[in-house]
């Protein structure tokens, strides 16, 4: 509202009027609680996964993934009162079920919503497969990370390393750019890598903390043309699905389409259900279960049906199936892994390969299970039945390696512990077990007795009074 204010003039006996204004305090826009980091390659086949985004967010805030998930994400996953036990249980569930963060269930929904709220941006669902919940099964999602080391290396050169969402799908096992299989075991320690752990980092092993990428002068062509064509079809199908912003189809409608395909489309093209099931590598029983509407399907089975019938997934989901013509039938991909093909080798030849593995004495040494799989044995016991002495040596080497890694990790943790306690002594802060655990990036519950004893030993040597010096 406009008002007037008067001031008496010195030169004349009159007043000079000035206008004043009542200004309302401007409304400040809502601030995000975290750095609104932009997800990578949204809207494309190379879109970033939600687990990768969480790890990048932790790094951007200069904290470990464990601290970031505990302090910022856990409250969004707990129904009811937030207690210490609820926090601990939910924190453990994030790690043990971290593969589902990229999936189709409540973990993906809750965490994407949490990050939307924290960043004030509504795009985190696109980093998961939530939109494909009607087409996918939870078994379609990888339980451990897989990656292309050359892609990671190239992304590192471009300054922003991230892991792709499609690497989370089981049927995706090849990088088409570099024409090589994706890796699923750390090349340094041989362990599988969790999607999110206490100290996970994008592009690094969560066990040995070493870089997972590497660069080669030439591309490795370790897949044949048949495998490449199948993977090309898989990538094209996923690209279509991920680019559909308004894909609206229910599981019931898909079941009806499956039933129509096997009952009408195949019949119109003079193809028997038995023959088509053979091309797919499925049993007739599975086909008839789909026809009856009782069989479960996954993204693998849908893409496989399209691949074998040479019908794109877009046509399968959108066109009238009764009018589609099948011009060619393709054989489905072999279900056996490449290593299992060696099962046809004679025992003597497999023994020679085993001897060569032992003589190479690689570091890190291979696990017995990996050696058995590579030689085509179904289990460690099957391999041990033929080569008991060799198996004993392989197991011994691997145990010694794991023991050495454990010792090195223990020394590293103890060094960090002593350094932190000295810092606390210099700054006058009491190094409680809670603060020590937080500094080491672990939950108080998981601090070992050895570390607790080591903490007391260091504090006594420094002359720091130990509070509550009771049973540990």
């Amino acid at each position: 509202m406009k008002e007037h204010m008067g001031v008496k003039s010195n030169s004349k006996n009159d007043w000079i009027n000035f206008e004043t204004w009542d200004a309302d305090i401007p409304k400040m826009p809502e601030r995000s609680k975290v750095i609104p980091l932009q997800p990578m390659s949204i809207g494309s086949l190379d879109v970033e996964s939600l687990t990768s985004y969480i790890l990048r967010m932790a790094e951007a805030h200069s904290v470990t993934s464990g601290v970031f998930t505990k302090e910022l994400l856990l409250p969004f996953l707990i129904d009811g009162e937030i207690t210490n036990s609820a926090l601990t249980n939910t924190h453990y569930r994030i790690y043990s079920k971290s593969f589902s963060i990229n999936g189709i269930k409540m973990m993906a929904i809750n965490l994407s919503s949490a990050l939307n709220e924290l960043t004030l941006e509504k795009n985190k669902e696109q980093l998961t497969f939530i939109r494909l919940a009607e087409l996918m099964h939870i078994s379609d999602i990888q339980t451990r990370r897989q990656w292309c080391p050359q892609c990671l290396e190239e992304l590192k050169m471009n300054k922003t390393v991230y892991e792709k969402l499609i690497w989370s799908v089981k049927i995706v096992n090849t990088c088409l750019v570099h024409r090589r299989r994706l890796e699923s075991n750390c090349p340094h320690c041989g362990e599988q890598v969790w999607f999110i752990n206490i100290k996970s980092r994008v592009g690094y092993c969560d066990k040995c903390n070493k870089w997972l990428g590497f660069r080669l002068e030439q591309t490795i062509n370790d897949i044949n043309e048949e495998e490449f064509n199948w993977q090309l079809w898989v990538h094209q199908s996923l690209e279509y699905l991920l680019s559909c912003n308004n894909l609206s189809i229910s599981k019931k409608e898909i079941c009806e389409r499956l039933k129509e395909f096997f009952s009408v489309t195949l019949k119109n093209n003079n193809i028997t259900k038995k023959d088509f099931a053979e091309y797919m590598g499925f049993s007739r029983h599975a086909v008839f279960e789909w026809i009856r509407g009782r069989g479960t399907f996954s993204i693998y089975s849908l893409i496989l049906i399209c691949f074998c019938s040479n019908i794109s997934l877009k046509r399968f989901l959108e066109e009238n199936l009764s009018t589609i013509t099948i011009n060619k039938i393709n054989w489905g991909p072999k279900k056996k892994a490449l290593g299992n093909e060696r099962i046809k080798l004679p025992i003597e030849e497999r023994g020679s390969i085993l001897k060569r593995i032992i003589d190479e004495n690689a570091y890190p040494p291979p696990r017995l299970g990996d050696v058995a799989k590579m030689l085509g044995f179904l289990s460690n016991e099957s391999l041990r039945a033929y080569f008991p002495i060799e198996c004993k040596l392989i197991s011994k080497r691997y145990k010694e390696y794991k023991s050495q890694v454990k010792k090195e990790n223990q020394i590293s943790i103890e060094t960090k512990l002593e350094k932190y306690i000295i810092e606390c002594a210099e700054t006058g802060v009491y190094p409680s077990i809670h603060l020590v655990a937080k500094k080491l990036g672990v939950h108080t519950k998981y601090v070992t007795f050895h570390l607790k004893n080591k903490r007391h030993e260091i504090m006594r040597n420094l002359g720091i009074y130990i509070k509550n010096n009771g049973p540990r």
Side-chain angles (χ1 to χ4, degrees):
M1 184 177 69
K2 188 183 294 186
E3 296 181 355
H4 288 79
M5 181 176 178
V7 178
K8 191 171 182 180
S9 171
N10 293 329
S11 58
K12 296 182 180 179
N13 194 18
D14 56 0
W15 294 83
I16 300 174
N17 292 326
F18 297 95
E19 292 185 357
T20 60
W21 294 83
D22 287 336
D24 294 331
I25 298 175
K27 292 183 178 180
M28 296 294 291
E30 187 179 358
R31 305 286 179 170
S32 62
K33 297 179 177 65
V34 295
I35 300 171
L37 208 62
Q38 289 302 311
M40 303 299 294
S41 303
I42 280 189
S44 73
L45 185 63
D46 294 331
V47 62
E48 181 177 16
S49 67
L50 188 60
T51 50
S52 170
Y53 182 77
I54 291 172
L55 298 184
R56 286 204 304 121
M57 286 286 284
E59 190 170 349
H61 290 81
S62 300
V63 296
T64 64
S65 54
V67 171
F68 186 83
T69 54
K70 179 183 177 181
E71 300 298 332
L72 291 172
L73 300 181
L74 284 191
F76 291 91
L77 301 179
I78 298 175
D79 295 327
E81 185 181 358
I82 299 178
T83 61
N84 288 333
S85 61
L87 284 170
T88 302
N89 293 337
T90 310
H91 207 187
Y92 174 76
R93 184 160 55 89
I94 285 182
Y95 299 144
S96 62
K97 301 289 185 183
S98 57
F99 64 91
S100 63
I101 294 175
N102 298 327
I104 58 177
K105 299 292 185 180
M106 290 307 300
M107 182 79 82
I109 295 171
N110 290 338
L111 285 181
S112 58
S113 299
L115 287 163
N116 280 339
E117 185 171 331
L118 290 170
T119 60
L120 299 180
E121 294 180 350
K122 307 296 182 183
N123 55 6
K124 306 308 180 296
E125 292 85 359
Q126 297 181 52
L127 310 184
T128 70
F129 289 108
I130 294 172
R131 74 191 97 165
L132 306 183
E134 297 294 314
L135 294 167
M136 297 184 73
H137 191 268
I138 190 63
S139 61
D140 288 320
I141 307 298
Q142 282 278 5
T143 56
R144 293 292 186 270
R145 279 155 71 183
Q146 57 177 3
W147 62 91
C148 172
Q150 288 177 262
C151 283
L152 291 179
E153 197 67 35
E154 290 174 4
L155 289 169
K156 188 177 183 180
M157 293 173 64
N158 294 330
K159 306 301 183 184
T160 303
V161 180
Y162 73 95
E163 295 175 19
K164 301 176 183 180
L165 179 62
I166 59 169
W167 291 348
S168 303
V169 188
K170 279 185 180 178
I171 55 173
V172 176
N173 57 25
T174 300
C175 173
L176 297 184
V177 177
H178 300 107
R179 202 182 176 103
R180 58 165 295 134
R181 286 191 179 85
L182 300 178
E183 300 289 337
S184 57
N185 290 83
C186 173
H188 307 286
C189 66
E191 296 288 341
Q192 290 187 317
V193 186
W194 288 31
F195 279 95
I196 290 184
N197 209 337
I198 294 174
K199 292 186 178 180
S200 295
R201 295 171 63 195
V202 177
Y204 288 84
C205 174
D206 62 358
K207 306 295 190 306
C208 65
N209 201 32
K210 290 184 178 178
W211 174 242
L212 298 174
F214 57 77
R215 186 179 182 184
L216 296 175
E217 294 298 327
Q218 294 181 347
T219 300
I220 297 179
N221 294 320
D222 63 350
I223 59 171
N224 57 39
E225 201 63 32
E226 181 184 343
E227 290 177 287
F228 184 81
N229 289 336
W230 160 246
Q231 285 296 308
L232 178 61
W233 189 280
V234 169
H235 280 72
Q236 290 173 342
S237 300
L238 290 174
E239 185 173 23
Y240 155 69
L241 293 174
L242 293 174
S243 64
C244 292
N245 296 322
N246 55 351
L247 185 66
S248 57
I249 188 167
S250 65
K251 287 186 181 293
K252 184 178 179 181
E253 290 173 312
I254 295 171
C255 289
E256 290 296 322
R257 283 193 161 271
L258 287 171
K259 182 177 180 180
E260 184 178 1
F261 175 82
F262 286 108
S263 301
V264 180
T265 309
L266 292 184
K267 184 179 180 181
N268 291 346
N269 289 273
N270 298 318
I271 303 170
T272 66
K273 303 176 186 68
K274 177 184 175 182
D275 289 343
F276 193 81
E278 186 176 345
Y279 272 95
M280 290 176 60
F282 278 32
S283 66
R284 286 182 295 169
H285 175 74
V287 171
F288 284 108
E289 285 294 293
W290 280 330
I291 294 173
R292 296 187 188 101
R294 293 187 297 205
T296 58
F297 63 88
S298 64
I299 197 70
Y300 169 72
S301 53
L302 285 176
I303 294 178
L304 180 60
I305 289 170
C306 295
F307 177 75
C308 293
S309 61
N310 208 33
I311 301 170
S312 69
L313 186 58
K314 175 180 173 65
R315 293 182 64 199
F316 184 88
L317 294 177
E318 297 180 4
E319 292 187 14
N320 185 350
L321 291 174
S322 61
T323 61
I324 288 181
T325 300
I326 299 177
N327 299 317
K328 177 186 176 183
I329 304 180
N330 300 316
W331 284 97
K334 293 180 181 178
K335 287 192 174 182
K336 287 185 179 180
L338 189 63
N340 286 344
E341 293 177 2
R342 290 187 177 178
I343 199 168
K344 298 177 182 178
L345 296 175
I347 291 298
E348 294 78 13
E349 192 168 343
R350 282 188 265 182
S352 300
I353 297 172
L354 183 60
K355 183 178 183 303
R356 189 165 65 246
I357 292 172
I358 293 173
D359 291 342
E360 286 175 355
N361 197 15
Y363 187 88
R367 293 183 299 179
L368 184 61
D370 293 334
V371 174
K373 184 179 179 182
M374 184 179 65
L375 294 175
F377 288 94
L378 296 177
S379 65
N380 295 355
E381 288 70 26
S382 301
L383 175 61
R384 195 175 284 114
Y386 288 97
F387 307 102
I389 298 175
E390 291 83 350
C391 289
K392 188 174 181 180
L393 178 57
I394 291 171
S395 297
K396 181 183 176 182
R397 285 180 178 176
Y398 189 72
K399 285 179 182 177
E400 289 174 350
Y401 160 72
K402 293 293 290 184
S403 177
Q404 182 63 29
V405 171
K406 187 176 180 180
K407 284 181 182 177
E408 291 173 358
N409 291 338
Q410 189 70 36
I411 292 171
S412 176
I413 291 175
E414 289 178 4
T415 304
K416 291 179 182 177
L417 177 66
E418 184 173 7
K419 182 181 177 182
Y420 178 62
I421 293 177
I422 292 173
E423 289 177 1
C424 288
E426 292 173 349
T427 56
V429 178
Y430 182 74
S432 67
I433 192 68
H434 177 73
L435 286 177
V436 166
K438 188 174 182 180
K439 187 68 177 179
L440 295 175
V442 297
H443 192 276
T444 309
K445 182 179 178 181
Y446 302 123
V447 176
T448 63
F449 285 107
H450 175 77
L451 278 182
K452 291 178 181 178
N453 290 331
K454 189 68 179 177
R455 165 178 167 266
H456 280 202
E457 179 187 333
I458 296 170
M459 290 173 69
R460 279 193 293 268
N461 292 338
L462 294 174
I464 301 175
Y465 171 74
I466 301 173
K467 299 178 182 179
N468 191 25
N469 189 12
R472 297 184 296 280

